[in-house]
Amino acid sequence: MDQRGTENGRGLPAPGGQPTLWQAHDDLPATDMPFAVALLALGSARGLGTKGLHALVREHREQLGRVWELPGGRLAAELARARVPAARRIAEEIDVSRSELLAAAREKADELARRSVRIIGPSALPARLAELPGGPLWLFLEGDSRALYEGPHVAVVGTREVTPDGVRATEAAVRTMAAYPITLVSGLANGVDAVAHQAALRDGVRNVAFLGHGIDVVFPAETADIRTRIVRSGGAVVSEYLPQEHYRKAQFVQRNRLQAGLADIVVATEGKRTGGTAHTVRFAATYRRPIIGFTWPGAGDLTDLIGNEPTGRLIAPFTAAGRRTLDTLLRSVADSYGHTTFGLSLVERQLSREVELRALHPEDLQRLRQRLDDLLGQEDGGHAR
């Protein structure tokens, strides 16, 4: 039974038998304040910071609006118990600024809703992310939420300084997964991320892009068009950072844990073991996700790190054998979700398009039928051998 919606709720003792903060405040009335409004308001409270906000969400979850019913002294006690510095001063600031913070939060929530951005609370997070150690407590999502929830997901990640061979390798990875009902996960950065998202858009693969900054911040500027197309094509852009929160290096590292956490397989197409992609590989290893590293003469040394991980595997993407191995792994993960898979679905889509656009003669289709018969004969002969 899924306990995520009741963890640390009423009637569940904290570790060691100590009462939770909710149990200490069981006399508080329930609140109808939306989680989104409560989160945005507290996120704007001066001095509360990430630590304090996380502590409050862990305790109150979707009933975060209860915080706004707390007298200043009770809120100060909660923050102090969570070891938030200057707890009393912060509680007093929240109490004094209550009306302004809530009014601004409602306005911001309405603005996000107009942009089709929804805020996912802790009990509604995808299981693969909710179960991560140190995982997110909420997510901002722009686009179609089904892209986030419906698997399988395959992360394609790599360096920002992508080489021509890295571009080819990344496009090969996406092209291979395009035959199956797989959603691509990447980080909407320049380099491999951008190549992966663009290839997915070209090949009809659904995208999930995780950001290292607020949902209303576009960075880098060159990816603005890709982001728009991801949303319009049924994908999703996702962030755990509050609106208007700008990018920092540490946030991109934390973004990488979400890519690895959501993914059924992580494919690192090019990178160095000292680069940012190495963080994604290490997160994937910690979460026991299968990791595929692409190798070719001149590829970066990230493959050394991947090859030493228990869940790591190296594949040569520019060989027929390597591509078949990758295809087998991707088809297998799609099959594991109960999807019906067809290895020639890309060919089928392209053939339908060609038939639609061309003035075909009967002999064109007869020649195609003969070619298929020849291929089937070769396959049968190969099996016979």
Side-chain angles (χ1 to χ4, degrees), residues 218-241:
V218 176
F219 176 82
E222 299 91 329
T223 63
D225 179 63
I226 299 175
R227 175 173 173 164
T228 299
R229 292 166 60 204
I230 286 173
V231 172
R232 287 179 178 172
S233 64
V237 177
V238 186
S239 174
E240 65 180 317
Y241 298 104

Side-chain angles (χ1 to χ4, degrees), residues 118-337:
R118 67 186 65 190
I119 302 177
I120 301 170
S123 296
L125 292 168
R128 293 178 76 87
L129 296 181
E131 293 163 359
L132 297 179
L137 294 174
W138 61 80
L139 290 172
F140 293 81
L141 182 146
E142 180 181 8
D144 192 334
S145 61
R146 289 175 295 183
L148 184 67
Y149 288 93
E150 296 176 354
H153 295 89
V154 172
V156 177
V157 297
T159 178
R160 286 175 170 81
E161 289 79 39
V162 62
T163 65
D165 278 340
V167 171
R168 289 176 55 217
T170 302
E171 290 179 336
V174 177
R175 187 73 171 176
T176 304
M177 75 172 66
Y180 309 114
I182 293 173
T183 298
L184 172 111
V185 176
S186 200
L188 205 59
N190 285 328
V192 165
D193 289 9
V195 172
H197 287 304
Q198 287 175 319
L201 290 165
R202 178 197 64 204
D203 291 342
V205 177
R206 187 165 60 180
N207 283 268
V208 169
F210 282 110
L211 306 179
H213 47 74
I215 197 76
D216 54 352
V217 176
V218 176
F219 176 82
E222 299 91 329
T223 63
D225 179 63
I226 299 175
R227 175 173 173 164
T228 299
R229 292 166 60 204
I230 286 173
V231 172
R232 287 179 178 172
S233 64
V237 177
V238 186
S239 174
E240 65 180 317
Y241 298 104
L242 295 171
Q244 300 180 339
E245 192 164 349
H246 285 270
Y247 50 88
R248 291 184 289 127
K249 183 177 181 180
Q251 292 176 182
F252 284 115
V253 173
Q254 291 303 297
R255 178 274 313 271
N256 291 347
R257 88 192 193 287
L258 301 185
Q259 296 179 124
L262 185 64
D264 294 273
I265 298 174
V266 173
V267 181
T269 61
E270 184 179 23
K272 299 178 181 178
R273 63 183 306 156
T274 56
T277 307
H279 294 294
T280 310
V281 169
R282 293 190 181 97
F283 282 125
T286 299
Y287 305 151
R288 306 296 297 173
R289 305 293 194 256
I291 310 162
I292 296 172
F294 279 178
T295 182
W296 66 85
D301 61 1
L302 182 63
T303 53
D304 296 339
L305 177 63
I306 296 171
N308 288 325
E309 293 293 350
T311 60
R313 180 170 185 171
L314 301 182
I315 288 177
F318 302 140
T319 67
R323 288 290 291 275
R324 283 195 298 269
T325 298
L326 179 63
D327 182 80
T328 298
L329 293 171
L330 295 176
R331 186 168 192 168
S332 177
V333 75
D335 288 338
S336 72
Y337 275 74

